[in-house]
Amino acid sequence: MLLLVRTFLFTIVLVAAAAVPARAGEWTQQRHDVAEIEASLGFGGRFKVGVWSPIRVTLTAGQQPINGAIHIASFDSDGVPVEHRWAADEPAAIEAGESKTFVLPVKIGRTNSRVEVILESEADGVVSRSIWNANIAELGQPVLASQQLWLSAGDLDGIDDVLRMQRVQPSEQTQHASITPDQIPDDWRMLEGVDRLLIVSGQADAWTQLSAEQLAALDWWTKLGGKIFLAVGADSPQLLAAGAPLAPFLPGKFVRMEEESETGDLEKFAGKATRLDRPDAPPLTIAVLQDASGIAIVEHGGSSDPTPLISVAPYGFGLIEFVAFDLNAPPIAGWDGRQPLLDKLLIGESQQQQGGAVSLAGRSAAHVGYEDLSGQLRVALDQFQGVHLISFFLIGVIIVGYLLLIGPGDFFLLKRFFPRMEWTWVTFPAFVVLACVVSWGVAYWAKGTEMRMNQVDVLDCDLSSRVVRSTTWAHIYSPQTQRLDIQLHNQAPSQASDWRQILAWQGLPGKSLGGMDSRQSLATVQNPYYLAEADDSVQLENLPIQIWSSRSLFGRSWATLEGDAPKPLTEINNQLLDGVIRNPTDIDLEDVYVFYGRWAWQFQKFPAGGVLSLSGKAGKNSDKVLRKTRVADARDVSELWDRENTDIDRIMEVSLFHESAGGRGYTNLIQRYQGFIDLSEHTQTQRAVLVGKAVEPVTELQIRAAGTDEPLHPQTERWTYVRLIYPVEPE
């Protein structure tokens, strides 16, 4: 009986212990009176690796107040620890017994790593550090760089069903998280991992309470390449009217809500014959826009001034997908065409077709070590002039020669030329030293003695919104072990002002060696380096680099462009263009193409301040230009994409317009990690995109030996591309 009672009590204890949620993380060092700490990564429990995400830290002070600075430490994609140090705009000043939440940007490099929250203070010259450590899986679910992350601000019924029906591999399945408007950060870079923000009806009060910093962050994120899906709802007048928080994101000016009786085009778009204006449902209510921009996919024609029902419009380098009716309310709710409508709005036919080719690209990526186009660029940038890969054959020859030399070679040498075999005590060490000298000489011949750098820059100027951004990829090779301080500076165009820069490490998507999803770590460095703010920019400090190795860096910069928007080009019949374009920058361009719709026009040069005329000029099919199609045996033959090609000009040519070239159907690679660089969709939204190569650099990486003011000047090879976006209006 006593045994049964003990067993019963023990079972109750186990059940009670299981019911108590386990707290994430633990203190590895505590020097402050912190009663409680809570932390979470990303949005709605999800964050993307390899890009900037928010980490929310809530500290509760104990009996003593807390004063100090909060730093976040994580691991980069190589498994090297990196500490994020931000300007002390809001130090951790917490009164005894009170709590305070901090939202900070962090960049996580591996799906199976840890993160540290560091509380640091100084008193009388003594620095005190408290360190709280947790596995990132305890703070949020990692989203792979090959996946998309969508956020929903408001409920959109059926979105999870749409995502479940995607015909893609699990490693490319879109991840979805729900947020409230107040969770939008006040720094746009914390939204970098978000591929799409869906704003649907509801929560008008929450939107109106957003701070100016939060709205500015959302504005910059969209202008720099973000995508907003904006659907109208019952509270739309409060959100979309002039002066409302979401009014700037509308592709036009909100006028009123009105009932729409002609729904045939919408039914045709959804692919359903069932009518929307059924007897048991109310009429469709739409938002009427004035001076609408972009491309109307479905248009309302019930008045003399047509307004879009579904449209896509550019917003800087980003896109606004606008739906002028409520997707959650009747008559759309309850209509059997609603699910096909959501499929087309959110996934699209082209993406569904590409999903069928996923398995081919996924399997074929195994032997090249990457599945994303950014991986091919990374491999190409790691090829340095004057640095040679020592082949296994040469290593084998050296080893065999060494064994022959110290074995039979030493024996026959002593037997023939020396009177006594005891001389081997001299010849054997001499042969060992000789072999070491030869090996060292071969290594120095192959690896060189100079620091080298390969750098690719893409400068984008949207001449309508006057937004300019630059994107930098740089690989630095070092002939010796050292630590570096590196800062990114923009030099051109001179018409841009208020530049801000972010420089950090560059990751490799996938599970291959060195990939962000790999469980293997290549790191041998234990001491961290720093991502630190300086003059509104983020720079690298104390970056370690091993002898005869390289580091991959990635930078983003943004600014505003002075001057006025140019006069729009005119689209005449068949998507041909009429008009002239001017180069408003001080950058000379060569090997120039203008892409619009399905056409591309080629020009040899476009000097600074120069003018090009498109009037009467015949264009070529853009996909044929990008695929380098030629005529052979009376048929078009495209150049096959070589995934092992290291020609950077060719890689960038396709990367900048990947979807126009055919996407993964052409390259067998996805472009998800840094997909914002692809402006293919903009060529379909009344924007003409000019691209050319610049001889002069537009950015500069200032490199110094850590802890010194000594500048380092590596041998640098550059590739610089400039894109200018011009507005287009119909004839």
Side-chain angles (χ1 to χ4, degrees):
M1 183 66 181
L2 182 60
L3 180 61
L4 290 176
V5 171
R6 287 178 176 176
T7 303
F8 178 72
L9 292 175
F10 183 68
T11 303
I12 291 178
V13 171
L14 288 179
V15 172
V20 177
R23 290 193 176 274
E26 60 181 357
W27 289 100
T28 58
Q29 179 175 311
Q30 190 167 6
R31 299 289 185 269
H32 300 82
D33 188 8
V34 180
E36 187 177 0
I37 179 172
E38 295 180 359
S40 63
L41 273 168
F43 301 94
R46 287 179 169 84
F47 69 94
K48 184 178 283 191
V49 296
V51 294
W52 293 98
S53 299
I55 181 170
R56 292 173 174 83
V57 180
T58 301
L59 295 176
T60 302
Q63 297 180 356
Q64 299 294 326
I66 298 175
N67 288 282
I70 294 180
H71 307 308
I72 307 297
S74 62
F75 290 90
D76 66 13
S77 59
D78 293 325
V80 178
V82 53
E83 191 171 311
H84 305 72
R85 294 191 168 189
W86 309 124
D89 294 333
E90 189 179 8
I94 309 172
E95 297 298 327
E98 295 185 356
S99 299
K100 194 172 184 179
T101 299
F102 304 87
V103 183
L104 301 169
V106 65
K107 193 173 183 180
I108 304 295
R110 286 181 166 267
T111 56
N112 59 333
S113 61
R114 303 184 69 83
V115 66
E116 290 181 347
V117 177
I118 302 171
L119 180 60
E120 186 176 85
S121 62
E122 182 178 354
D124 299 327
V126 178
V127 177
S128 299
R129 286 166 63 96
S130 297
I131 302 175
W132 181 82
N133 187 296
N135 192 301
I136 61 170
E138 298 176 312
L139 307 183
Q141 177 184 332
V143 176
L144 307 181
S146 57
Q147 297 175 317
Q148 288 194 347
L149 175 60
W150 293 3
L151 300 185
S152 288
D155 295 328
L156 180 58
D157 299 335
I159 183 173
D160 292 329
D161 295 332
V162 171
L163 297 181
R164 276 195 297 268
M165 295 300 292
Q166 280 186 291
R167 295 178 295 172
V168 296
Q169 298 181 79
S171 62
E172 296 177 19
Q173 186 74 38
T174 298
Q175 301 297 304
H176 172 247
S178 297
I179 64 169
T180 55
D182 63 292
Q183 291 178 291
I184 292 176
D186 58 5
D187 187 337
W188 78 264
R189 61 186 153 177
M190 288 188 267
L191 289 164
E192 187 183 32
V194 178
D195 297 282
R196 205 179 206 174
L197 175 62
L198 296 89
I199 302 176
V200 294
S201 58
Q203 302 178 314
D205 292 339
W207 281 105
T208 56
Q209 293 176 10
L210 290 189
S211 67
E213 291 77 13
Q214 288 174 299
L215 291 173
L218 185 59
D219 179 71
W220 270 112
W221 169 75
T222 313
K223 284 180 177 177
L224 293 177
K227 183 180 290 186
I228 291 180
F229 178 90
L230 180 57
V232 164
D235 54 1
S236 291
Q238 303 175 53
L239 295 175
L240 306 180
L246 297 182
F249 301 100
L250 271 182
K253 180 182 178 182
F254 175 75
V255 179
R256 64 185 179 277
M257 302 292 292
E258 73 174 27
E259 294 182 355
E260 169 62 48
S261 57
E262 297 294 332
T263 58
D265 289 342
L266 183 58
E267 295 156 5
K268 182 179 179 181
F269 174 77
K272 282 292 179 179
T274 307
R275 294 184 61 86
L276 263 174
D277 55 346
R278 54 193 187 277
D280 60 336
L284 182 67
T285 302
I286 66 169
V288 177
L289 300 185
Q290 187 179 14
D291 301 327
S293 61
I295 297 297
I297 300 173
V298 179
E299 199 169 40
H300 156 69
S303 64
S304 58
D305 186 16
T307 186
L309 293 181
I310 301 173
S311 67
V312 179
Y315 191 84
F317 301 107
L319 292 172
I320 304 294
E321 302 166 316
F322 178 67
V323 178
F325 48 87
D326 196 334
L327 291 167
N328 292 328
I332 299 297
W335 179 44
D336 63 355
R338 183 180 184 277
Q339 198 63 35
L341 176 63
L342 286 181
D343 289 340
K344 278 200 170 182
L345 289 174
L346 299 177
I347 304 299
E349 293 180 351
S350 61
Q351 293 186 42
Q352 290 178 351
Q353 292 170 359
Q354 287 193 18
V358 166
S359 59
L360 174 62
R363 288 196 299 263
S364 61
H367 76 280
V368 293
Y370 46 82
E371 57 191 17
D372 193 283
L373 199 54
S374 64
Q376 186 166 1
L377 176 62
R378 179 186 173 112
V379 170
L381 283 171
D382 234 15
Q383 312 299 313
F384 298 92
Q385 285 190 358
V387 179
H388 309 283
L389 182 67
I390 299 178
S391 65
F392 284 108
F393 175 77
L394 180 57
I395 295 175
V397 168
I398 293 175
I399 292 175
V400 171
Y402 173 68
L403 294 176
L404 291 175
L405 192 62
I406 64 173
D410 186 33
F411 175 80
F412 286 114
L413 178 67
L414 294 175
K415 195 76 172 175
R416 183 174 181 84
F417 297 104
F418 291 90
R420 299 174 63 87
M421 298 298 291
E422 288 82 356
W423 278 94
T424 188
W425 291 101
V426 176
T427 57
F428 181 82
F431 287 146
V432 172
V433 171
L434 177 62
C436 291
V437 170
V438 171
S439 300
W440 193 259
V442 170
Y444 265 93
W445 165 81
K447 302 302 182 182
T449 58
E450 288 185 306
M451 178 183 288
R452 298 180 180 274
M453 181 169 68
N454 290 334
Q455 181 175 336
V456 171
D457 289 300
V458 177
L459 176 70
D460 293 321
C461 301
D462 178 23
L463 302 180
S464 295
S465 65
R466 315 307 291 173
V467 175
V468 57
R469 70 179 185 186
S470 73
T471 310
T472 300
W473 296 264
H475 282 218
I476 299 176
Y477 168 82
S478 175
Q480 62 184 3
T481 299
Q482 58 183 327
R483 285 183 176 259
L484 306 173
D485 293 339
I486 309 175
Q487 192 168 9
L488 177 64
H489 286 274
N490 289 79
Q491 302 178 148
S494 61
Q495 296 85 352
S497 59
D498 298 327
W499 277 106
R500 295 189 177 186
Q501 299 92 0
I502 299 176
L503 181 64
W505 48 265
Q506 163 82 343
L508 175 65
K511 295 183 178 180
S512 59
L513 187 64
M516 292 183 289
D517 309 336
S518 172
R519 295 187 177 275
Q520 301 168 325
S521 177
L522 304 178
T524 59
V525 179
Q526 301 300 321
N527 295 327
Y529 64 98
Y530 305 101
L531 286 170
E533 278 188 330
D535 301 327
D536 293 327
S537 297
V538 178
Q539 64 184 19
L540 291 163
E541 295 180 356
N542 217 31
L543 176 72
I545 184 167
Q546 303 298 310
I547 184 172
W548 297 335
S549 66
S550 63
R551 291 303 302 259
S552 304
L553 308 180
F554 177 70
R556 298 187 69 176
S557 308
W558 64 99
T560 54
L561 200 62
E562 299 174 355
D564 299 324
K567 180 182 177 181
L569 296 167
T570 302
E571 178 187 340
I572 54 179
N573 60 315
N574 200 25
Q575 288 190 323
L576 295 175
L577 293 178
D578 183 56
V580 297
I581 54 178
R582 290 178 171 82
N583 184 351
T585 71
D586 52 356
I587 305 172
D588 294 326
L589 302 178
E590 57 186 29
D591 194 15
V592 174
Y593 282 90
V594 177
F595 291 92
Y596 180 73
R598 65 177 184 273
W599 300 111
W601 294 264
Q602 184 179 13
F603 300 90
Q604 294 299 319
K605 294 182 181 295
F606 194 24
V611 177
L612 296 176
S613 176
L614 292 168
S615 301
K617 187 175 179 63
K620 300 178 181 179
N621 287 97
S622 58
D623 60 336
K624 292 183 179 180
V625 170
L626 293 168
R627 295 187 184 198
K628 296 189 178 299
T629 302
R630 67 184 190 280
V631 178
D633 298 329
R635 63 189 183 93
D636 291 338
V637 178
S638 298
E639 179 183 282
L640 295 178
W641 183 257
D642 182 4
R643 288 175 293 114
E644 298 183 28
N645 183 17
T646 57
D647 181 355
I648 289 180
D649 278 326
R650 180 61 180 145
I651 294 172
M652 293 305 300
E653 182 179 20
V654 172
S655 296
L656 298 178
F657 300 96
H658 188 233
E659 291 304 313
S660 294
R664 73 183 309 167
Y666 175 58
T667 62
N668 266 349
L669 295 169
I670 60 175
Q671 192 176 27
R672 294 274 180 83
Y673 184 36
Q674 288 151 356
F676 65 87
I677 203 69
D678 184 0
L679 291 183
S680 298
E681 288 184 284
H682 284 259
T683 65
Q684 308 295 328
T685 57
Q686 293 186 336
R687 315 283 288 282
V689 182
L690 179 145
V691 60
K693 294 181 62 177
V695 178
E696 298 298 325
V698 296
T699 67
E700 178 189 7
L701 283 179
Q702 295 182 352
I703 305 175
R704 302 187 310 273
T708 71
D709 293 328
E710 175 191 356
L712 301 177
H713 304 285
Q715 293 287 332
T716 303
E717 189 171 3
R718 299 177 184 271
W719 295 262
T720 303
Y721 308 89
V722 176
R723 292 186 293 188
L724 306 176
I725 302 181
Y726 296 86
V728 178
E729 62 181 11
E731 188 175 19

